[in-house]
Amino acid sequence: LARLGTGTERMDKDAALKDLMAQLKDSGQAVIYGSRKLSVSQLDADAAVPGLEGDGWAAAASATEEKMEVHSVSKSEGEALKELKKLIPEPLPVPAVPANALAAWQQSTDSKAIIALFAQTPQFARALSQLEQGLKQLGLDLHDDVLKPFGTTFSAWVGVDSNATSPFLLLGTAFAGLDIAGGEPQKLIDTVKKVIETAGSPLPGLTGLPNGFDFKHQMGTLKIRAEKEGNRLSARFGEAPKETLAATRPAAKSVSLSKDQASAAWVDFQALAGAAKVGGSLAGQSPLAAIIGKVADALGQYDHLIVTSGQKGPYQLSHGAMVMTKAAPAGK
């Protein structure tokens, strides 16, 4: 509090605030601002991670009957900016999110850089040391066998055909996928095989292949592969549509990665509502059916949620939007 209270300048005259506001798309109905003092004040504690202090942060929020949006921007320079660039490398190509995805997430993050940064704090360093000792007992090295081969661009999605006419057809159309691009995917597969062999207790339904695994279950087969083309580790369950999410849901066109956008998240409430209504018929005449119906109706008031963020020069830009299909009833 003493540090935050130093200085008598008016906050609305702060040059950093003016700089950040110029980067926001809209001033919105409300603005929140955190000066550099707030960022630096957090670095006094022993648990703080050095090198991540920013020059300021601002957010603008606005809401109507059908949409709520939040735009935020922060700025970092010098060593802080260098550290951020290490943590968020330029995204690598991954397959597009397929149509009928209920939820999707994409992110560019270097786990090796994150661990190296947080290892500078005593608490994390001790936990990391314990992890290293545990892996050594399995004949594995944390850096060479786990961190080094791990990729930097992640894409995950789950979906189902919410237009199915029965719960059984609904379950039959369920699908999920995960892609991790970069690193050494074959090395990761070999590491997992080594862990299984060392444990000496193979999993039922698991079949090892030269470049991956097949895990068979009564619900279907999970296929994990190290793919040379694209240099990525992929996991697939079920048959995903060949069409892309962006083609069938134009509002989801921002769910992709680029030089200036390092993350994206998507939730399709309309699809969730449709799936809930079909799946709820399994409950028959039980009280649970009424609850599921109410949940589906509540979800049906919303269209989608989308959140994106990225790095543009010294600025870290984020945008979130919750969109409704119709105005919420009064008092809700």
Side-chain angles (χ1 to χ4, degrees):
L1 289 176
R3 176 173 292 187
L4 291 174
T6 58
T8 58
E9 304 87 354
R10 286 180 57 90
M11 186 166 283
D12 60 356
K13 302 294 184 182
D14 192 331
L17 173 59
K18 294 181 179 180
D19 179 21
L20 294 175
M21 289 300 296
Q23 304 301 318
L24 291 174
K25 295 181 179 180
D26 196 325
S27 59
Q29 298 164 328
V31 174
I32 305 172
Y33 172 60
S35 69
R36 189 174 189 276
K37 290 180 184 179
L38 180 63
S39 177
V40 174
S41 68
Q42 305 304 307
L43 301 177
D44 289 339
D46 292 337
V49 178
L52 288 184
E53 66 274 15
D55 289 348
W57 168 80
S62 61
T64 66
E65 291 184 335
E66 296 186 359
K67 180 187 287 189
M68 182 176 72
E69 289 187 276
V70 176
H71 303 274
S72 74
V73 58
S74 59
K75 184 179 181 182
S76 299
E77 295 180 308
E79 289 301 316
L81 182 58
K82 290 181 181 179
E83 291 294 344
L84 282 173
K85 287 184 175 180
K86 291 178 184 177
L87 301 179
I88 310 174
E90 188 170 327
L92 298 171
V94 289
V97 176
N100 298 338
L102 301 178
W105 166 75
Q106 294 187 327
Q107 179 78 43
S108 177
T109 299
D110 191 333
S111 55
K112 299 179 287 296
I114 291 177
I115 290 179
L117 183 65
F118 279 85
Q120 298 179 46
T121 64
Q123 293 90 335
F124 192 88
R126 287 193 292 269
L128 194 62
S129 178
Q130 294 175 357
L131 177 59
E132 289 177 332
Q133 293 302 319
L135 289 173
K136 283 183 179 179
Q137 296 178 7
L138 297 175
L140 298 173
D141 180 82
L142 176 62
H143 181 269
D144 292 338
D145 296 317
V146 180
L147 298 180
K148 184 180 178 181
F150 216 70
T152 58
T153 301
F154 306 84
S155 178
W157 29 264
V158 294
V160 70
D161 184 358
S162 57
N163 294 318
T165 55
S166 73
F168 302 104
L169 290 175
L170 187 74
L171 292 174
T173 61
F175 61 90
L178 170 67
D179 290 294
I180 305 176
E184 302 174 57
Q186 184 62 50
K187 184 67 176 292
L188 281 176
I189 293 294
D190 295 340
T191 295
V192 174
K193 288 181 177 179
K194 189 172 183 179
V195 171
I196 295 174
E197 291 173 359
T198 303
S201 54
L203 297 174
L206 184 68
T207 302
L209 302 171
N211 66 330
F213 300 94
D214 277 350
F215 183 68
K216 294 184 178 180
H217 186 267
Q218 60 183 5
M219 295 293 294
T221 301
L222 173 64
K223 299 179 180 180
I224 302 174
R225 300 288 187 271
E227 300 181 6
K228 292 183 179 180
E229 183 179 356
N231 189 35
R232 64 177 182 268
L233 184 72
S234 70
R236 296 289 187 271
F237 176 84
E239 291 294 329
K242 296 187 182 301
E243 283 190 290
T244 66
L245 179 65
T248 57
R249 286 285 265 148
K253 288 183 178 179
S254 296
V255 185
S256 61
L257 302 180
S258 65
K259 182 179 180 181
D260 297 330
Q261 183 167 302
S263 70
W266 163 266
V267 179
D268 191 333
F269 290 106
Q270 286 296 291
L272 280 170
K277 287 180 179 180
V278 175
S281 63
L282 283 174
Q285 300 300 317
S286 71
L288 184 61
I291 296 175
I292 295 175
K294 290 181 179 180
V295 170
D297 289 339
L299 290 173
Q301 295 184 64
Y302 297 88
D303 190 81
H304 68 273
L305 167 70
I306 188 166
V307 180
T308 62
S309 66
Q311 180 88 18
K312 193 171 184 179
Y315 301 99
Q316 296 85 56
L317 304 171
S318 299
H319 171 246
M322 173 76 84
V323 181
M324 300 186 71
T325 56
K326 55 185 177 182
K332 297 295 183 180

